[in-house]
Amino acid sequence: MGNKTDKEGAMVTLEGGGEPLLSVRNLKVHFPMDEGRVRAVDGVSFDVQPGQVVGIVGESGCGKSVTMKAILRIVEPPGRIVEGQIMYHSRASGEAGTSKVRGTIDLVGLAPNGKEMRDIRGAEIALIPQEPMAAFSPVHTVGNQVIEAIRLHRDLSKSAARQLAVDTFRDVGISMPEQRIDSYSWQMSGGLRQRAMIAMALAANPRLLIADEPTTAIDVTTQAQILRLLRKLRFEYNSAIIFITHDLGVIAQMADYVVVMYLGKVMAQGPVDDLFHNPLHPYTQALLRSIPSVQSAPRVKLPTISGSIPHAFNRPKGCPFHPRCTSFMPGVCDRDEPELKAVDGRQLVSCFLFRDTPEVANGQA
Amino acid sequence: MARPETNPDPAPPFLEVRSLTKYYPITKGFRRRVTGLVKAVDDVSFSIREGETMGLVGESGCGKTTTARCVLRALEPTGGQILFQTADSGTVDLAPLSRRELRPLRRQMQMIFQDPFGSLNPRMNLFDIVGEPLLVNGMPNRKERQERVAELLGLVGLRPEYMQRFPHAFSGGQRQRIGIARALALNPRLVVADEPVSALDVSVQAQVLNLLLELQERLGLTYLFVAHDLSVVKHICDHVAVMYVGKLVETADTKTLFYSPKHPYTASLLSAVPIPDPRLRSEGIELSGEVPSPANPPPGCYFHPRCAYAIDVCKTQSPLLRQVSPGHFVSCHRAGELPLQGIVT
Ligand SMILES: Nc1ncnc2c1ncn2[C@@H]1O[C@H](COP(=O)(O)OP(=O)(O)OP(=O)(O)O)[C@@H](O)[C@H]1O
Ligand SMILES: Nc1ncnc2c1ncn2[C@@H]1O[C@H](COP(=O)(O)OP(=O)(O)OP(=O)(O)O)[C@@H](O)[C@H]1O
Ligand code: SF4
Ligand code: SF4
Ligand SMILES: [Mg+2]
Ligand SMILES: [Mg+2]
């Protein structure tokens, strides 16, 4: 196993030892703005194994969506990847024969609109975006947009692509798919639109599906169906999934491995059971306390994390969580940035409470 | 904080919705011939007492948003009554009012939207977005507006310095707070919140829920709260109404609904709540089939094709909403005789 951190802060994970499908290393995406530089993503590292469901949690604005946009190379200007690597290992997914992509590629090195990136986007790595409303154009039917997306990556006739679109609509639980496919996104309810989005992402049969809050605006039985659908997909196609949600319940039910982000940084990561039953990082602990549960008493004040999230260009010096942390150590946490360290051989934690592991204690003055 | 237990009290409800219906025509061809009706909301009745919160839950497309928008008269209902106790002129039926008649009542009722991305004008900065209702409703002084906007931003946990920024520079959760600040600008009495915290992450959600509870207590607000997260609904609502394909299937006080549901659909909803513990992974009650379209619902009980307890009568006769205990209404032929499970204690 041996989780280690090398000098650059790029960590070596992981369980299993197999080659990961995706390795994000020290990724930094910044937006130069009039008010200052928004460090939306500021040194993020994690791996996705083939077929694994990686859950990403974190508060609004911590850089989850921008990280995903960076992976797909669709960060809006003036945003820019300023550092880091996004290694995509096409072989890791097995049947490389069908893939247009070979070997290992650093997606950061590709032109965002070049042919290679276009071959990867949608076909190899597909996104279910956070804003389904924005994802569909209001002037074309949803069906035409799905058909177009299919034909971009697959050599199919229009009618074959339409049939595939209808089948996929049915797969994701849309009733009357033959009719629904001819509607416009604005005619659909939130849940339907979300399903149409998932259908569009699935139609190309991607190796890595990035689901950015895919069940946020829909109710629980539909959510349960979509979660079942994503689980099924993962087993049937061995697709890996990066699952972004703010719902710790969904993470607990879905993820194999969890990455906790805050202000553009990874605070903690580890297997789902460790994260929930032995949370080490103060931020992970605070998050878990603040969930209303069906078991808890109604109408009582929930424990919240004090203060508000600083904007990314007002990043606090030192540990980004320090102004809100109940374990804050003056002179330590507000001076240096903690690095992501393996703590118990399973979790990686970025917090000075754990600096007394020998290597760190020696390294710190 | 102690709240009275449900008692069938005689005070007229703050808001009473009676047999609300909203149908959309289905049109075909370029002459837009009407070939059918989408019964988006079909005979929905419930009431809310002043200062309380009614939760509206159900499957996507079941008509929650349409109900909520009809109540606020952002939509014109096809039928039914919406009896609202106004601040000064007694009880008014909002359903038949014209746009002009509604105008003076608008500031008493505000909406927080489901989609924080779609509901904010991208070309307006925060000052204009939150300050617009103030300007429109007679606060022409810019300085005064700035003060109020700063206060409102503070109330929802945003920094007043953000006033000059535009929505695109904010993340989803931050945008939802902007929407709440805007809704609260005119001190409304009824706030209709359509999935107000579903786009928020947990610690912010906890803050907003605390905020909504606190505002309710301080300002005596009444909420109609549309949500899909039953943990949130259980936390914040006094009463809950469950909808399925445009119809109300069950309504009761929160405790009764969660611990002793009497409708099979409610029970399957409860079983689908994702529990935040990876050791308690469950698939929930798998509902067979799909949600019927409100344009073409099945005969009898709309839930019968998916219901494990359906009997012959369910296939032909539509069950009526009936009271099974004080304040507990269920629309099921077999209400009371089924071994349904609520939340496990
Ligand atoms: N186009 C942009 N221009 C300027 N700043 C941006 C832009 N897009 C994102 N940001 C900033 O980058 C940071 C990260 O944003 P991101 O959308 O990744 O957050 P998130 O974690 O997905 O949040 P949420 O849970 O609310 O969706 C935020 O501070 C946001 O304000
Ligand atoms: N303008 C419209 N024209 C035709 N049908 C409509 C229109 N608006 C809504 N509908 C239909 O009415 C039904 C109820 O929609 P509504 O948006 O109220 O559902 P909802 O319960 O809010 O769903 P969600 O949880 O997905 O937001 C749906 O079948 C929807 O397709
Ligand atoms: S480094 Fe310090 S401030 Fe940051 S989480 Fe750990 S104890 Fe809290
Ligand atoms: S009326 Fe019949 S079909 Fe409908 S919920 Fe009750 S038992 Fe099930
Ligand atoms: Mg996001
Ligand atoms: Mg809705």
Side-chain angles (χ1 to χ4, degrees):
Chain A
M1 280 257 204
N3 295 329
K4 281 225 172 66
T5 310
D6 71 23
K7 278 170 255 126
E8 282 81 44
M11 44 150 212
V12 189
T13 22
L14 256 193
E15 353 181 301
E19 193 179 28
L21 180 61
L22 187 81
S23 304
V24 176
R25 284 295 172 274
N26 196 29
L27 181 69
K28 297 191 179 180
V29 184
H30 295 176
F31 291 84
M33 308 285 283
D34 295 344
E35 306 95 323
R37 175 178 286 260
V38 176
R39 297 165 186 273
V41 176
D42 206 33
V44 163
S45 303
F46 64 91
D47 284 349
V48 181
Q49 303 295 329
Q52 189 181 40
V53 179
V54 173
I56 301 196
V57 279
E59 300 199 72
S60 289
C62 72
K64 304 182 295 295
S65 295
V66 171
T67 303
M68 297 310 127
K69 287 176 184 169
I71 292 170
L72 288 158
R73 301 301 313 280
I74 52 170
V75 173
E76 305 107 353
R80 215 165 60 78
I81 298 176
V82 296
E83 212 179 309
Q85 287 136 28
I86 302 167
M87 307 307 291
Y88 180 67
H89 306 272
S90 66
R91 271 170 304 144
S93 50
E95 7 98 57
T98 62
S99 174
K100 290 185 190 169
V101 186
R102 311 235 167 220
T104 297
I105 302 175
D106 183 359
L107 302 184
V108 174
L110 300 184
N113 288 312
K115 178 169 181 335
E116 279 174 299
M117 201 57 228
R118 278 185 285 128
D119 282 344
I120 291 172
R121 203 184 294 131
E124 301 270 332
I125 307 177
L127 175 70
I128 303 169
Q130 187 170 6
E131 303 115 273
M133 206 46 177
F136 285 114
S137 149
V139 297
H140 301 286
T141 64
V142 167
N144 279 339
Q145 294 175 69
V146 174
I147 290 164
E148 204 174 297
I150 292 172
R151 295 189 72 204
L152 198 65
H153 300 295
R154 290 200 193 178
D155 197 11
L156 289 179
S157 71
K158 239 188 165 134
S159 65
R162 186 185 166 86
Q163 192 50 50
L164 183 60
V166 168
D167 291 344
T168 317
F169 264 45
R170 192 175 293 115
D171 278 353
V172 299
I174 295 177
S175 62
M176 306 190 300
E178 294 88 353
Q179 281 144 276
R180 286 270 171 61
I181 206 158
D182 291 321
S183 28
Y184 294 87
S185 63
W186 43 267
Q187 290 172 321
M188 297 179 146
S189 71
L192 268 181
R193 223 181 282 133
Q194 204 77 34
R195 285 164 182 249
M197 237 3 283
I198 294 175
M200 176 133 126
L202 291 186
N205 196 3
R207 289 188 162 73
L208 174 60
L209 183 66
I210 299 177
D212 195 349
E213 312 256 8
T215 61
T216 289
I218 59 181
D219 59 281
V220 284
T221 67
T222 311
Q223 170 171 286
Q225 287 172 345
I226 286 173
L227 297 185
R228 267 195 291 267
L229 177 82
L230 290 174
R231 279 194 208 110
K232 187 180 101 185
L233 198 126
R234 173 244 186 130
F235 287 116
E236 276 176 15
Y237 303 94
N238 201 29
S239 297
I241 300 174
I242 298 179
F243 198 101
I244 298 180
T245 173
H246 59 271
D247 188 332
L248 287 162
V250 171
I251 285 278
Q253 296 290 316
M254 279 298 287
D256 304 312
Y257 194 83
V258 182
V259 178
V260 183
M261 285 180 69
Y262 186 77
L263 272 185
K265 298 220 170 247
V266 174
M267 296 285 104
Q269 58 177 279
V272 66
D273 196 71
D274 297 73
L275 250 292
F276 278 79
H277 287 282
N278 183 27
L280 297 173
H281 196 282
Y283 179 59
T284 318
Q285 294 171 348
L287 274 182
L288 287 168
R289 272 197 304 267
S290 66
I291 332 172
S293 149
V294 281
Q295 260 105 1
S296 64
R299 297 190 71 93
V300 293
K301 256 190 121 128
L302 294 164
T304 59
I305 300 175
S306 70
S308 59
I309 310 162
H311 199 275
F313 57 70
N314 288 327
R315 173 191 301 288
K317 193 168 160 9
C319 168
F321 188 55
H322 88 254
R324 308 177 71 192
C325 180
T326 47
S327 307
F328 167 60
M329 296 173 284
V332 180
C333 304
D334 51 359
R335 211 187 53 191
D336 301 309
E337 285 199 25
E339 280 178 14
L340 205 55
K341 301 275 178 195
V343 171
D344 57 2
R346 298 174 66 78
Q347 284 184 65
L348 301 174
V349 173
S350 158
C351 171
F352 287 125
L353 290 176
F354 301 92
R355 66 180 166 160
D356 49 2
T357 43
E359 41 182 327
V360 193
N362 297 340
Q364 226 71 44
Chain B
M1 274 298 283
R3 306 173 62 82
E5 280 300 313
T6 16
N7 62 327
D9 82 1
F14 178 75
L15 178 78
E16 185 174 4
V17 174
R18 284 193 195 155
S19 298
L20 182 70
T21 56
K22 175 69 187 174
Y23 298 163
Y24 291 106
I26 304 169
T27 54
K28 264 244 158 67
F30 94 118
R31 261 189 268 173
R32 309 190 63 77
R33 193 163 43 88
V34 176
T35 57
L37 289 173
V38 179
K39 297 185 174 179
V41 177
D42 195 11
D43 195 15
V44 164
S45 303
F46 61 86
S47 60
I48 317 178
R49 280 179 294 191
E50 180 149 28
E52 295 204 342
T53 303
M54 168 64 87
L56 205 52
V57 301
E59 211 120 12
S60 64
C62 74
K64 304 180 296 295
T65 296
T66 307
T67 302
R69 290 173 59 85
C70 282
V71 165
L72 280 188
R73 282 302 316 275
L75 283 176
E76 193 169 341
T78 308
Q81 291 174 299
I82 302 156
L83 304 174
F84 177 64
Q85 266 187 34
T86 61
D88 31 30
S89 51
T91 302
V92 171
D93 183 3
L94 302 177
L97 297 190
S98 68
R99 209 174 262 265
R100 206 149 70 88
E101 290 167 316
L102 281 164
R103 201 172 300 143
L105 295 171
R106 288 255 180 245
R107 58 187 302 168
Q108 298 184 34
M109 318 177 283
Q110 290 294 325
M111 179 124 181
I112 302 169
F113 292 92
Q114 178 170 10
D115 180 4
F117 294 95
S119 60
L120 301 176
N121 184 337
R123 279 181 292 272
M124 283 162 80
N125 66 19
L126 251 58
F127 172 69
D128 290 328
I129 289 171
V130 179
E132 189 188 41
L134 298 169
L135 181 64
V136 174
N137 284 275
M139 196 189 274
N141 184 307
R142 195 181 164 84
K143 184 109 202 312
E144 232 177 285
R145 272 207 319 282
Q146 261 165 356
E147 273 165 27
R148 176 70 177 145
V149 170
E151 183 189 356
L152 287 161
L153 291 180
L155 202 63
V156 298
L158 290 173
R159 293 156 184 274
E161 304 97 87
Y162 291 176
M163 229 184 273
Q164 299 309 321
R165 286 202 199 127
F166 292 84
H168 75 86
F170 292 90
S171 67
Q174 293 165 325
R175 286 185 230 199
Q176 191 56 292
R177 289 164 180 257
I178 300 169
I180 294 176
R182 181 183 156 95
L184 294 178
L186 297 173
N187 291 318
R189 296 166 66 237
L190 172 66
V191 173
V192 174
D194 193 350
E195 305 274 8
V197 297
S198 50
L200 308 184
D201 46 286
V202 283
S203 93
V204 178
Q205 173 173 301
Q207 289 177 359
V208 172
L209 291 174
N210 286 348
L211 176 73
L212 289 173
L213 286 172
E214 186 192 314
L215 290 168
Q216 178 166 53
E217 227 132 272
R218 240 170 55 196
L219 311 170
L221 296 174
T222 305
Y223 295 135
L224 177 58
F225 193 93
V226 177
H228 71 283
D229 185 338
L230 290 174
S231 316
V232 169
V233 167
K234 175 157 183 292
H235 186 73
I236 201 164
C237 297
D238 302 285
H239 292 264
V240 181
V242 183
M243 288 181 72
Y244 189 72
V245 198
K247 288 196 179 281
L248 199 75
V249 296
E250 183 164 10
T251 177
D253 68 273
T254 304
K255 207 168 147 195
T256 305
L257 192 110
F258 276 80
Y259 293 101
S260 26
K262 292 281 179 272
H263 196 287
Y265 176 64
T266 308
S268 58
L269 271 186
L270 293 172
S271 83
V273 176
I275 300 164
D277 183 346
R279 291 179 192 171
L280 298 175
R281 286 199 175 176
S282 106
E283 301 266 299
I285 299 171
E286 166 108 60
L287 286 180
S288 57
E290 352 176 285
V291 188
S293 153
N296 186 22
C301 170
Y302 288 0
F303 191 55
H304 90 254
R306 312 175 74 193
C307 180
Y309 305 101
I311 50 175
D312 281 346
V313 63
C314 305
K315 293 171 190 156
T316 53
Q317 278 181 42
S318 178
L320 295 175
L321 199 66
R322 62 191 164 100
Q323 189 162 230
V324 293
S325 61
H328 190 174
F329 294 85
V330 184
S331 165
C332 169
H333 292 301
R334 308 189 64 190
E337 57 178 83
L338 301 174
L340 301 178
Q341 235 198 3
I343 296 291
V344 198
T345 32

